[in-house]
Amino acid sequence: MTTHYFEHPLNEKTRIYLRVEALLNQLNVAAQFSDNMQHLIFYRSLFDLLEIFEQIQLKSELAKDIEKQRLSYRSWLNVEGVDQEMLRDVLNEVDSVHSDLMGAERFGQSLKEDRFLSAIRQRFNLPGGSCCFDLPALHHWLHLPLEQRKADAAKWLDTLQPLAKALNQWLKLTRETGHFRTIQASSGFYQSDAEEANILRLEIPMHFGVYPMISGHKNRFAIKFIEFDSGQASVANVEFQLAVCC
């Protein structure tokens, strides 16, 4: 059965984390420069990340959240019935990414100080501003050998590794707290309570022809399904899978 996978954050910080994860994924794919347009995705994603870094103290917020996870998992040490070997492996991973995170520079600092990136960032945000007459430095860079361009991209991405590892770890452990269960949205609507939840994860069979519109916060949420073809609220009973992740 073909399904539509969907995630929704239930607080603003998690919303930012998911956006950063998406941008990092775009960067890693686009950094291969497999066609002539990939550089547009690469630089757009990179500069979007810098915008986020300037709006929120992401490093300190992420460090706090990873520390909360570490304390939560430590409370399970020596508890009967808990796989202690697996638990210690998780704690070692958390300790490692937390240590690397705390030792890292402020996110985006070296990228903001890079002469080439600084030269192209401002005009890159103009509509159609990546033309050669707007950004002659970028036009020159695009004519460098592919391996040199990949090396530049790898150098820039390397500065983001502490962020990527820490964020991946936090999101992985957060997602694993939720278990999928079958839910039926009567007449296309479902609502429920949630205790300090961060993320909703949904798997929706494509044959229903609907997508979710979700509202709520960490303690309560509502899901309304919308028909893709009409744009109207669905009145059908929609059976889907839901995981509430804390």
Side-chain angles (χ1 to χ4, degrees):
M1 180 189 300
T2 304
T3 58
H4 170 206
Y5 177 71
F6 191 90
E7 285 190 335
H8 185 84
L10 290 175
N11 56 66
E12 185 58 28
K13 187 162 51 179
T14 305
R15 186 183 304 273
I16 292 172
Y17 287 170
L18 292 176
R19 286 173 177 161
V20 170
E21 179 190 43
L23 289 170
L24 290 171
N25 289 339
Q26 290 173 24
L27 278 170
N28 287 324
V29 173
Q32 301 304 309
F33 304 121
S34 55
D35 62 55
N36 293 332
M37 293 292 104
Q38 289 282 52
H39 72 280
L40 295 176
I41 299 174
F42 180 86
Y43 286 112
R44 173 62 64 194
S45 300
L46 189 65
F47 296 149
D48 282 351
L49 268 181
L50 291 181
E51 290 287 338
I52 292 175
F53 296 158
E54 291 170 358
Q55 294 171 10
I56 182 174
Q57 297 293 323
L58 192 60
K59 178 181 175 181
S60 61
E61 292 297 329
L62 187 54
K64 291 176 187 176
D65 284 337
I66 290 177
E67 179 62 20
K68 288 179 183 177
Q69 280 186 333
R70 177 162 60 179
L71 292 175
S72 176
Y73 278 88
R74 282 188 179 278
S75 69
W76 291 97
L77 286 171
N78 302 318
V79 174
E80 186 177 354
V82 175
D83 188 328
Q84 294 296 308
E85 183 177 356
M86 180 181 295
L87 178 60
R88 292 183 188 279
D89 286 344
V90 171
L91 283 170
N92 287 337
E93 291 179 9
V94 173
D95 288 342
S96 177
V97 298
H98 187 267
S99 177
D100 290 346
L101 181 64
M102 296 306 295
E105 66 176 20
R106 181 176 179 178
F107 294 156
Q109 186 62 40
S110 60
L111 298 175
K112 290 174 64 177
E113 295 172 352
D114 186 281
R115 181 184 58 81
F116 172 70
L117 294 177
S118 297
I120 68 173
R121 181 184 176 187
Q122 185 173 5
R123 296 197 67 83
F124 199 90
N125 289 327
L126 294 174
S130 60
C131 293
C132 61
F133 54 83
D134 282 310
L135 292 172
L138 176 61
H139 189 65
H140 175 85
W141 183 87
L142 290 172
H143 286 78
L144 294 175
L146 177 59
E147 291 308 312
Q148 184 173 342
R149 285 180 278 140
K150 284 187 174 182
D152 286 340
K155 176 186 68 176
W156 297 325
L157 291 179
D158 188 60
T159 68
L160 299 173
Q161 284 307 300
L163 163 64
K165 290 179 181 179
L167 183 61
N168 286 342
Q169 183 72 23
W170 187 85
L171 287 171
K172 174 178 178 290
L173 294 178
T174 298
R175 287 168 173 140
E176 288 177 352
T177 63
H179 301 284
F180 282 104
R181 57 193 180 97
T182 301
I183 300 292
Q184 180 165 285
S186 299
S187 300
F189 182 79
Y190 177 77
Q191 62 181 348
S192 180
D193 295 330
E195 295 184 8
E196 299 293 319
N198 288 302
I199 303 173
L200 298 180
R201 305 175 71 197
L202 291 77
E203 290 186 359
I204 309 157
M206 287 294 291
H207 68 78
F208 286 113
V210 297
Y211 59 89
M213 294 293 289
I214 301 175
S215 60
H217 49 78
K218 62 183 181 181
N219 293 320
R220 188 165 181 80
F221 63 89
I223 304 172
K224 179 170 66 175
F225 287 98
I226 307 297
E227 295 179 352
F228 179 76
D229 289 338
S230 69
Q232 302 297 313
S234 175
V235 295
N237 293 334
V238 179
E239 188 174 280
F240 65 103
Q241 298 290 310
L242 174 67
V244 180
C245 307
C246 300

